[in-house]
Amino acid sequence: MSIEFQERAIDRHFAAFICRQCAQYPKLAGNVSEIFQLVVSLASNSMASGNICLNLHDIAGRTINVNGTEFTLPNVAELHELLTNADVVTAPGQHLRPLVLDSEGRLYLYRYWRYEHDLAQRLLQQASATRDAVDEARANDAIVRLFPASADERQRQAAKVALHRNFCVISGGPGTGKTSTVVRILALLLELDGGTRQRIAMAAPTGKAAARLKQSVNDIRQTLNCSDEVKAAIPDDVVTIQRLLGSISGSTRFRHSAANPLPFDTVIIDEASMVALPLMSALVEAIKPSARLILLGDKDQLSSVEAGAVLGDICSAAEEGSAASPLSSSLASSLVVLEKNYRFQQGSGIADISHAVNAGRERDALKLLKNHPAGTLLWQRTPAPDMLRSALASTVVDGYQRYLQAQTSAEALEHFDRFRILCALREGAYGVTGLNTMSEQILARAGLIAPSSIFYVGRPILITVNDYTMRLFNGDTGILFHDPEHGGELRASFPMPDGSVRTIPPERLPAHETAYAMTIHKSQGSEFERVLMLLPPVESDLLTRELIYTGITRAKKSVEIWADEALFCASVQKKTARHSGLQRALRWNQA
């Protein structure tokens, strides 16, 4: 069976450009030259699928269909020879060439090989660096005081790792206390490691994730058993990673780098699973060698939309590489995985099904969905397209009428986050665009909204870009509502971390979209009391175990899944595979 290659224009033009730079390319025989250009195009396209590189083993000997024309590729050895004979390809670390091919058949665009190489080197250096001597008796007393009796022993372990090492990774599912742990770690560091004058930065990949972390930190620090001075020294600001690094308008570069490092003693990054390879590489490069880096995230969640699965690779290398080399042993000592769950109510089923999905036990997950006694896990077969709107009607009205009947924007915002429709796709009847249109039609028919124009009372909006001027960021959610402080005019209302509401004229909003439904990717970093996860009844590369796990764990009280049974089971079995050499480089120190 041939592989259907959806070649993008940028892939085709890049491959043609590379071939023009190759001195040997004109000498290659006709079909061979076409094969060479196709492989380069495939390497370019692999970035769009989230991979760091193209694995030659995946394409060797296969037939590739490009717009109706089929090409049969040679075996791995012949592909390797074809590429190494080209002037534009080099081995790792040897020459500056557009393409890099390693001994295991990974073909990189040079820029991505450099990201991976530099990140692996810096992470291993960071992991191998330990802190100055610590007063262990004082440290143990502080840990006992800061971590209550109900705390998981692994939370205390994380505190010890963060205190003694320059690199700490705290991974765990929703509700395992990652944020609570890191706030207590901050208090510990401020008491013991340089005092309250040390500089601490906290950041997250998106504005919404940053706002949620800020609110959580402000709530948790009030409960700490420490001095008011230490509480006051815990930072009250969280920014996006791009803002932390000093994003330069119109450029992919940042003000902070190895030549101009960040001025912080400790840097904490939340939702690290969402951070792509280029951004993580830039971040780690900008951290001064003496500083501490703490990553928080769920290694089992969806990876970043862009290339790489950095947190997953770091955790896998740490879990498997303890005996591989002294440096990878240091990496293993830097990882703590939290498992005890504090969020899900006993018997709610969300924890049970998330564990079943995460373990690939699709039949157990399906059984829970169909037979859960508490009624907090629900199942329905995905309706046909012509039946979808009628099937959704009662669920959409029940989920959204309370916020649409609110008297104030603050009340509307509070109720809106109690329910959300999550989907895998962006386009089509089962995607964001189709489901948002259907939801508008259902709510309008119920008399809850009057969408006579694009701006109407009650319209929920999701910001899709970062706009530093307006202080609105990708992932921020607001609602159009009448503002009594501005003469009752229609304005976009956004929740602030301190509980207040900020309003903005709708014409000043940056790029945004309607948000009754959102993709599971966009929902990362969010929580809702109830979730309806609607999966399409057709196969898609997007339907994976990580996607379903992420969607389920956005819910706090109940989750309803609409899906085809066979496709659901196949999706739970299918793990996301992103090609990179980062895990190997971290495990064997061969970046």
Side-chain angles (χ1 to χ4, degrees), residues 451-581:
S452 56
S453 70
I454 190 172
F455 297 129
Y456 60 87
V457 177
R459 181 191 172 205
I461 53 175
L462 178 72
I463 302 299
T464 57
V465 297
N466 291 330
D467 188 324
Y468 293 95
T469 302
M470 296 303 300
R471 292 182 291 124
L472 289 172
F473 304 97
N474 185 14
D476 286 352
T477 304
I479 295 173
L480 297 181
F481 212 86
H482 290 303
D483 185 0
E485 294 186 6
H486 289 82
E489 70 179 40
L490 188 66
R491 292 171 71 94
S493 299
F494 292 90
M496 302 300 289
D498 62 2
S500 63
V501 174
R502 175 183 173 223
T503 67
I504 296 170
E507 60 271 13
R508 296 191 64 194
L509 288 170
H512 60 278
E513 59 190 28
T514 304
Y516 298 110
M518 63 194 304
T519 62
I520 297 170
H521 261 108
K522 284 283 189 182
S523 75
Q524 290 185 90
S526 299
E527 296 174 1
F528 313 103
E529 289 187 4
R530 296 171 50 209
V531 160
L532 168 60
M533 182 162 62
L534 200 158
L535 304 179
V538 293
E539 290 187 14
S540 169
D541 291 341
L542 295 173
L543 296 178
T544 63
R545 180 183 305 177
E546 291 82 0
L547 182 100
I548 293 174
Y549 169 81
T550 301
I552 288 170
T553 53
R554 298 311 90 202
K556 294 191 287 186
K557 292 187 177 179
S558 71
V559 61
E560 182 171 359
I561 297 179
W562 293 10
D564 174 85
E565 184 172 320
L567 281 175
F568 175 82
C569 291
S571 301
V572 172
Q573 280 293 304
K574 185 169 64 177
K575 282 184 66 68
T576 301
R578 287 194 167 183
H579 295 307
S580 84

Side-chain angles (χ1 to χ4, degrees), residues 26 38 57-58 81 90 168 192 219 240 267 295 316 357 383 392 402 479 499 504 525 556:
L38 174 58
H57 293 272
D58 288 343
E81 182 179 4
T90 186
C168 178
L192 300 177
D219 291 342
T240 62
V267 176
L295 301 180
S316 295
V357 168
L392 278 170
R402 193 169 180 186
I479 295 173
I504 296 170
K556 294 191 287 186

